[in-house]
Each structure stands twice: as C-alpha cells, then as structure tokens.
Amino acid sequence: MHVLFVSPEVWPLARVGGLAEVSHDLPLALAKRGHRISVVTPHCRLAADVAARLERMDLTLEVPVSWRRHRAEVHRLPAGPGVDIYLIGHEHLFDREGLYGNAYGDYEDNAERFIFFSRAAMELALALGQPVDLIHCHDWTTGLIPLYLRAIYGQEPLLKQAGTVMTVHNLGTQGIFWHYDMPLTGLGWEYFTPEAIEFYGKINFLKAGLVFADMITTVSPTYAKEILTPEMGFGLEGVLQARRDRLVAVTNGIDHQAWDPSRDPYLAATYGPDNLAPKLRCGEQARQLMGLAPSNGRPLACFIGRLVDRRGMDLLVSSLETILEMGLDLAVMGYGEDRYHVLLQDLRRRNPERLGVYVGYEMEMAHQLVAGSDMLLMPSRYEPCGLHQLHAMRYGTVPVVRATGGLEDTVVDQRPDQPGHGFKFVAYDQPSFLEALHRALEVYRQPELWRAMMLRGMAQDHSWDKATPAYDEIYQRARAISQAQTDA
Ligand code: GLC
C-alpha cells in the first residue's frame, strides 16, 4: 500500500514526546513489509545538521485556509528504504522556537497552524501524483484529515480509495478551539454538530478524527479500555464507545537496533545478558554526567520524560526527599512546566551529590541514563503506552511504574510468588509509590534475585516487528471499509 503517514512530530526533525520516535520507527518497520510510506510533517525550526540533509523539492503547494491561500514549500528527507519524509514549510506558521507552544503556553494560532498542516498534507498527496491507499493520522493535530477526505477531497481520483486510521497517542490533548475558527477549517457549518466536530460549543479536532476515521487505534490494550471510561475519556468516552467496534489496540515497539546495550555507541561500555559487569561503568558515566557522587552501594534511579503532572511529576517531586532518605540516588531529565524546573533545581541545590537534574531532552543522554541506572521511575497518572520502560528493560534497568495504560501491559510486577521484571503500584498516591520503591530496594539488596529480574527484562521482545502485522491488518480493514463506502 501507499500510505500517507501524517504526524506533527518525527524524530530527528522534532520531538516533544514518544510520538516522534513512533513516527520514525513505525514507517520503517512497515516499509519492511512492503508498504511505501510518505511521512508528512511540519517543517519546524531544525538543528543545522538535520537541515543540511534536506532536499528542496520543486514544488509549491497552494493551501486553502479560510478565504486565503497559503503557499507551502516542500522539502524531502529520504529516511530509509520505502520511506520518504515530506516537510511542509511555512515560515510564519512553523519556523518557531517550539512545535505546539513556548514558555508562555500553546501558540494562540494553533487552530490555523494545524488546519493549514492538515490541508497541506492532502494537497501534497495530490501534488505527488500517486494514488494513496491509506492515510494514517496521529493525535489531534491531524484529526481533521479524515473529515477533509470525506467533505472536500473524497472525489479526487488519487484519494478517493484511501482508508483512514486515526491513532490516539494521548487523549488528554484534543485541539479544542472556539467556534469562530469554523470558517478557517473550510468546512461548512453543517459539520458543527454533536454528531460531527462540535464539542460543548467548541470545535474539537481529535473528535473529527474519532468520528470520521475508518479505524481508530491506540497504543496499548489497557489504554484502549481506559479511554472508554469517564475518568480517562476526557469527555470523548461516549464518542469512542459508539465506535468501539472500530477501536483496536497495538502496543508500541522500540527500535531494537538503536536501543541495544551490546552495541550502543553512546555508552562508556557495552554489555549484554551474558556480560552484565560493564553496566557498572555506564553507572559511573551517568553519575558523572549528572554531577552525582560515586555510588557507594547506593542504586541510581532515573526519570526521563516531560516534567508535567500527567507523568507523575507532582508525585515524584513531593516524594523526592523520602526517596533520597531511602538510599536511592536520582537523575531527572526532561522539560516541562516551569514550576517543576524551579522546584527541581532547588531540590538539587539542597542535595547536590544525590540528585541530578537536566532540563531538556537529549537522545544521547537518554541512552546513557537508561544504561547507567538501576531503576527507571514512571509514576504516570496515565500512560497511553510509554517507551522509556521498554528501553529500560532492554538495558537491564528495572522499571518502577504505576499500573496504568501501557505500563500495566508491558511490566510484570515482581512478587515473592511471581517472578516479574519490574515493580508496579496502583493507587496514585505517595504511600503506594513508596511501597513499590521499598519492594524494589529490598530485591536490589539481594543481588542474585535482582540479576534474575534484570535478565527477565532483557529477554522481553518489544521490537516493532512484533507490532507491524497488527497494523497491516488494520490498514487492510480500513481500506476495505472505505472501498465498501465508495462502491455503495
Ligand atoms: C505519547 C504517550 C506515550 C506514548 C507515545 C507514543 O507520548 O503519552 O505514552 O508512548 O505517545 O505512542
């Protein structure tokens, strides 16, 4: 199939969260199964080395937004066999410091920016001149696309066969804008209804995707159940329930080549299940990197991810001094809410040898921290899938996680009567979190048991090759549904 894979974040062009890695790795894995993937993404402000690899295409798109036409430049980045990344450029809309916003919050013109992007993806498909079999959309920024296909582009010979798949990586952000933005969408007011994209008097981009896509997917089986409940459905549970026959879960994978402790170029020493000792060297490297004192028998735990409540930052920060008292050292890497930057830096000043903080995200450092830590903490409030715990297990780093979404599905709790490869807690509160950490420390003090846990984690297979057959089936199903509609 020729798949138009539309995503706002694609590694190494832009990364806010795990979506970026998925949008890079999944197309490559799908291409191995014979699909041809055209990835479409905004041309954000790029690092110079990445920008230098782009090819400028001899193509200018005219993208209708309201009564105007925005011109979009297109660049191409060949990503691997069968995969091309197309970057949609618009200086005024995308050449900015951040992708969704800056330190002051979300950009106020996000409706216009992502309406433009979604329509540009459709216009690009027409300009490329090759029939599209399937359009795979990711999260709210691309939610309007399945509706555009129906309302505006459905008669285009290159697009009319296309099935659509909407993947939810995070239901918590939906792209909700006031109804005055309706004319910007280019859609008639007949779509501003509860059955379509109206949502409590406003426009909801993600809802458009959930209502109009042929198939809906999300990134773990537990999350697929959670989003049907009022607690985790963020107001869209009813919409999802109505379409639950079209909702399928596929757990994310990770790139087993890029994340392999036995040949990871970023590590001070490489190691594997048969040779764990060099991991200690990685521990020293991680401690140095974070400015921490040598271990002295204390294990190192790390947290990698956005510093926001939904990742459990409030729980982590309020438990932090107790965690240090328990004898764990801690390294935190991530970027997020300003108050957490301030709080963490303050805690670091008070515990300079035991707490390391890096505000930002560096891929290289993520590898070094995962390899050098004994445990990885993910106390998320909710977690659609989570990738760091998968990296951690592959590196013999034991995850301590809240039992939610993909964390529930991918981590098996270690109990006296049940050999696991991680520690889980259920209630989102400090006693439960600390109880899991106590259990982890107890096992850590029994080296043989701990080693066995590390090895069980390392033996897990979460490579993309395991997930792609499921996407294959979903693509076929979406296309069959759309064809049946076209024929009818
Ligand atoms: C989002 C989710 C995360 C998931 C990732 C990729 O960042 O929060 O849980 O792993 O998307 O699907």
Side-chain angles (χ1 to χ4, degrees), residues 1 3 5 26 30 33 35 133-138 161-168 213-221 224 243-252 464 466-483:
M1 285 194 195
V3 179
F5 189 106
L26 176 56
L30 287 165
R33 296 182 68 89
H35 298 295
D133 300 298
L134 191 113
I135 309 181
H136 191 167
C137 304
H138 299 269
Q161 304 289 324
T164 49
V165 176
M166 180 80 232
T167 295
V168 177
D214 297 315
M215 292 293 292
I216 303 167
T217 78
T218 189
V219 289
S220 71
R243 302 212 71 211
R244 64 191 304 170
D245 60 324
R246 303 291 181 89
L247 172 64
V248 179
V250 186
T251 305
N252 283 334
W464 272 112
K466 278 188 76 180
T468 40
Y471 276 109
D472 235 355
E473 261 173 50
I474 292 161
Y475 283 5
Q476 308 285 359
R477 215 179 131 191
R479 198 168 135 86
I481 291 169
S482 114
Q483 256 166 350

Side-chain angles (χ1 to χ4, degrees), residues 9 16-22 139 167-170 219 252 306 310-311 378 382-389 406 464:
E9 311 174 20
V16 176
L19 173 56
E21 271 114 291
V22 172
D139 277 355
T167 295
V168 177
H169 297 265
N170 175 13
V219 289
N252 283 334
R306 270 160 287 167
R310 96 162 180 75
R311 297 277 170 173
M378 285 182 85
Y382 71 94
E383 194 63 70
C385 179
L387 300 174
H388 300 303
Q389 84 278 15
W464 272 112

Side-chain angles (χ1 to χ4, degrees), residues 173-187:
T173 310
Q174 300 176 359
I176 298 175
F177 303 98
W178 66 355
H179 67 280
Y180 294 108
D181 284 336
M182 203 56 202
L184 282 181
T185 65
L187 296 161

Side-chain angles (χ1 to χ4, degrees), residues 4 122 125-126 131-132 135 149 153-154 156-163:
L4 201 68
M122 308 304 276
L126 299 182
V132 174
I135 309 181
L149 187 63
Y153 295 88
E156 292 287 347
L158 294 175
L159 286 170
K160 70 174 185 215
Q161 304 289 324

Side-chain angles (χ1 to χ4, degrees), residues 427-449:
Y428 188 84
D429 57 32
Q430 221 183 73
S432 309
F433 182 31
L434 295 176
E435 187 263 348
L437 283 170
H438 272 297
R439 284 195 290 127
L441 278 170
E442 217 177 279
V443 178
Y444 180 79
R445 291 189 195 106
Q446 305 170 63
E448 272 318 302
L449 263 185

